[in-house]
Amino acid sequence: MAETASFETLVELYYESLYRFAFSLAGSESAACDLTQETFYIWQTKGHQLLDPAKVKTWLFTTLHREFLNSRRRYLRFPHLELDEAASELPSAPSVSLDRLDAEAALAALARVEEPHKAALALFYLEDYSYQEIAEILGIPIGTVKSRLARGIEQLKRLVLGGPDYLPAERNHRG
Amino acid sequence: MDKQSIKEILLRYPPGNDAEVEPELAAARREAEKDPELQEWFAQQQKFQTAMRRAMRQIQPPASLKARILAGRPASRKILWWQSPQWLAAAAAFVLLASLVAFWLAPSRKPGYAAYRDRMAKFASREYRMDILATNSAQIRAYLAGKQSPADYVVPRELEPMPLAGCAALKWRNQPVSLICFRRGKDDLLWLFVISQSAVPSAPSGQAPQFEQINKLALATWSQQGKTYTLAAFGDRVLLQRYLE
C-alpha cells in the first residue's frame, strides 16, 4: 500500500478547504472549527482503513459531512424554526452587486437556501468537485446532485440578486 | 432541447471550467451559443457563478485552528521495541498490579471537581442533548423534580430573562445533574449545570464565580445553598460575566 502523507502534511494541505466546507454547512466559526478538528481526529484513529491514499481528500470531506449530519441530528432537538418559516421573519437582504459580493454575503445567502442543497452547493463552489465526486462525498446519486445544484443555484441567485428575473443589480431598471 | 431545458442544465455549469465539463453541459453550451438571448443569459449566469466561487473561497479559518488540529496528532506509527507484544503484555500486567496496590492503599476520596468540570464541558461542546424542549420554567422544574434531579436551583438574576430552550436530567458518577438550556441569539446556547455540592466537594465553594476557559468554551462555577452551579457558553469570560453580575 502506498504511503499516505504525514499527518502534518495532510493538515497543511486540507485544513483550510475543510474549514470552508464546514463553515458553509454549519454557519458559525466555532462549529466549523470543531467539525474540522473532529475530522482530523477521526483521521488519526481511522485513517489507516483507507486503502487508496489518492482518496484521502474525498475521505476527509465525506467524514466532515457525516460529522455535520450527526451534530445536526442532535441540534434538531433544539427548538428552532425551519428555514422556510424563518425566511419570512428575516429582513430581506438587499441585492448585491456581483463585484462586491463577499464571503459574508455569499454565506448569508447560502444559509437561507433549503437544507438539502447546501452541501452540494458548497462543494461545487469551494472545490470544483465533479458531480461524481460530490455524489460520493454526500452519498447520493448523481442525478440528485444535479437537481440539488440546479435548485440551489436558482435559490442563491434569487437571494443574492433579488427578484425573479436573475438580473444583476447593476442592470436593475427599477431605480 | 428547448430554452428552458438548456437553462436548467446550464444553471450548474461550473465557473471557469470549460476544459472538462461533462457531455450534457457541453451540448447545452453549444445550443446556447446559437441563440443570442441564451448567450446573454449564460454570460450573466457565469458572472454570478464566478462571483459566488470567489466569495466563498474568501472564507479563512482562525489563526489558531491549525495548531489545535496538530496538537491532537497521534504518536508515530513506527513500531519501537517497547511496543512489541511481549513488552506490552508485561507492561500491562505491571500497570494492573500497580493500580490494584494504589487502589487498596489510597484513602477513599470522591472524584474531583476537575473531572466533573471537564465532563460537563465535553458534554456541552460535543454531545449535548435535551430531554425536553420547553420554554416554561415551571415545566422544566417539574420535569427535573420528577427525575430526582436538582429542581430548586437559583437562576442568576441576569440570566433569568433569557429565553429557555429545554432541560435534561443527567448523571455524573451516579450523582444527578440538572442541565437547563437558555437560548442566546439565533443559534447559541447557555448551559447551566446544577449538582449537589456534596457530590463535588472540591468545587468552588463560594458564591463568587470561578471562571475558566476550555478551548472555545467559557465556564463559570460557584456554589450556593448546597448546590454547585456551572454556567457554560461558547465565548469568553466577558460573555459569561454579563449573566452573572
Side-chain angles (χ1 to χ4, degrees):
Chain A
M1 182 175 76
E3 197 63 28
T4 321
S6 70
F7 182 71
E8 290 84 352
T9 302
L10 282 178
V11 173
E12 183 62 42
L13 284 172
Y14 300 124
Y15 88 100
E16 285 182 326
S17 53
L18 280 169
Y19 175 83
R20 289 189 191 104
F21 183 42
F23 201 118
S24 304
L25 298 174
S28 80
E29 180 181 295
S30 59
C33 283
D34 282 353
L35 278 172
T36 308
Q37 192 170 356
E38 187 69 16
T39 299
F40 280 108
Y41 176 75
I42 294 172
W43 166 260
Q44 292 175 17
T45 56
K46 295 186 179 176
H48 62 278
Q49 298 171 0
L50 179 65
L51 297 177
D52 181 2
K55 292 280 192 179
V56 63
K57 185 179 179 185
T58 303
W59 191 99
L60 290 168
F61 274 80
T62 303
T63 300
L64 192 146
H65 182 245
R66 186 177 57 242
E67 287 304 301
F68 167 72
L69 292 178
N70 287 341
S71 68
R72 186 85 180 156
R73 285 187 199 102
R74 292 192 294 272
Y75 183 73
L76 283 173
R77 290 172 173 266
F78 178 62
H80 71 293
L81 293 176
E82 290 300 326
L83 190 61
D84 287 343
E85 295 164 1
S88 62
E89 297 186 17
L90 293 170
S92 53
S95 54
V96 177
S97 161
L98 290 179
D99 294 330
R100 290 198 297 273
L101 181 64
D102 60 9
E104 187 180 345
L107 288 170
L110 184 64
R112 297 173 64 147
V113 169
E114 287 172 12
E115 196 62 39
H117 310 312
K118 280 184 194 171
L121 287 172
L123 291 170
F124 178 77
Y125 286 118
L126 289 172
E127 294 297 324
D128 291 335
Y129 274 127
S130 67
Y131 297 153
Q132 175 61 42
E133 288 167 323
I134 295 175
E136 195 178 322
I137 290 170
L138 302 183
I140 56 178
I142 288 183
T144 306
V145 171
K146 293 179 180 180
S147 65
R148 287 188 182 179
L149 283 177
R151 299 288 77 76
I153 291 168
E154 273 183 334
Q155 291 180 24
L156 267 181
K157 288 176 72 172
R158 223 173 274 132
L159 290 164
V160 171
L161 302 174
D165 300 334
Y166 309 143
L167 290 176
E170 59 266 31
R171 292 189 57 196
N172 189 322
H173 297 292
R174 287 175 293 179
Chain B
M1 278 189 276
D2 61 20
K3 277 187 182 177
Q4 193 53 43
S5 301
I6 293 171
K7 282 186 178 180
E8 180 78 12
I9 294 168
L10 291 179
L11 267 177
R12 44 184 173 79
Y13 196 100
N17 195 10
D18 288 347
E20 295 177 15
V21 293
E22 58 165 37
E24 183 187 42
L25 290 173
R29 174 100 187 257
R30 284 194 297 272
E31 288 299 313
E33 285 168 358
K34 300 174 187 173
D35 182 320
E37 184 194 329
L38 278 176
Q39 267 188 327
E40 171 64 18
W41 177 90
F42 182 67
Q44 294 301 322
Q45 167 68 13
Q46 285 303 91
K47 192 174 175 185
F48 171 80
Q49 296 285 60
T50 302
M52 274 299 300
R53 183 173 69 169
R54 184 186 64 241
M56 295 279 288
R57 293 184 184 190
Q58 287 174 0
I59 303 167
Q60 289 299 323
S64 60
L65 177 59
K66 185 178 171 184
R68 274 174 58 180
I69 296 168
L70 289 174
R73 68 181 189 271
S76 166
R77 287 191 204 167
K78 185 179 171 185
I79 301 297
L80 301 167
W81 65 268
W82 59 83
Q83 291 175 308
S84 69
Q86 297 89 334
W87 279 105
L88 285 173
F94 176 78
V95 167
L96 177 62
L97 183 62
S99 300
L100 284 171
V101 169
F103 176 76
W104 287 112
L105 294 180
S108 168
R109 60 171 185 243
K110 285 191 178 179
Y113 162 68
Y116 169 75
R117 175 206 61 207
D118 291 349
R119 186 65 188 91
M120 295 306 115
K122 184 180 175 187
F123 183 84
S125 59
R126 286 178 180 265
E127 57 188 79
Y128 91 91
R129 57 160 180 82
M130 284 184 272
D131 293 349
I132 64 165
L133 309 177
T135 56
N136 180 291
S137 174
Q139 189 180 1
I140 285 178
R141 290 182 190 270
Y143 174 83
L144 292 170
K147 295 287 182 182
Q148 287 80 52
S149 217
D152 55 344
Y153 48 85
V154 176
V155 177
R157 190 185 64 232
E158 296 299 325
L159 186 58
E160 266 197 356
M162 300 301 289
L164 286 159
C167 69
L170 311 173
K171 281 281 175 68
W172 179 75
R173 309 286 172 99
N174 221 29
Q175 298 295 321
V177 181
S178 290
L179 167 64
I180 304 98
C181 296
F182 297 83
R183 189 190 299 193
R184 181 173 69 88
K186 182 169 165 267
D187 291 321
D188 290 322
L189 288 176
L190 293 150
W191 295 273
L192 181 64
F193 298 93
V194 186
I195 191 172
S196 168
Q197 191 172 0
S198 60
V200 197
S202 55
S205 58
Q207 291 192 39
Q210 175 177 300
F211 293 91
E212 293 164 290
Q213 191 79 25
I214 297 180
N215 295 325
K216 294 228 168 190
L217 200 70
L219 301 112
T221 302
W222 68 97
S223 294
Q224 186 181 353
Q225 295 171 12
K227 291 187 182 48
T228 293
Y229 298 78
T230 300
L231 182 65
F234 283 112
D236 56 21
R237 172 185 180 140
V238 171
L239 184 142
L240 288 186
Q241 277 178 319
R242 224 180 285 164
Y243 304 104
L244 297 173
E245 284 162 1

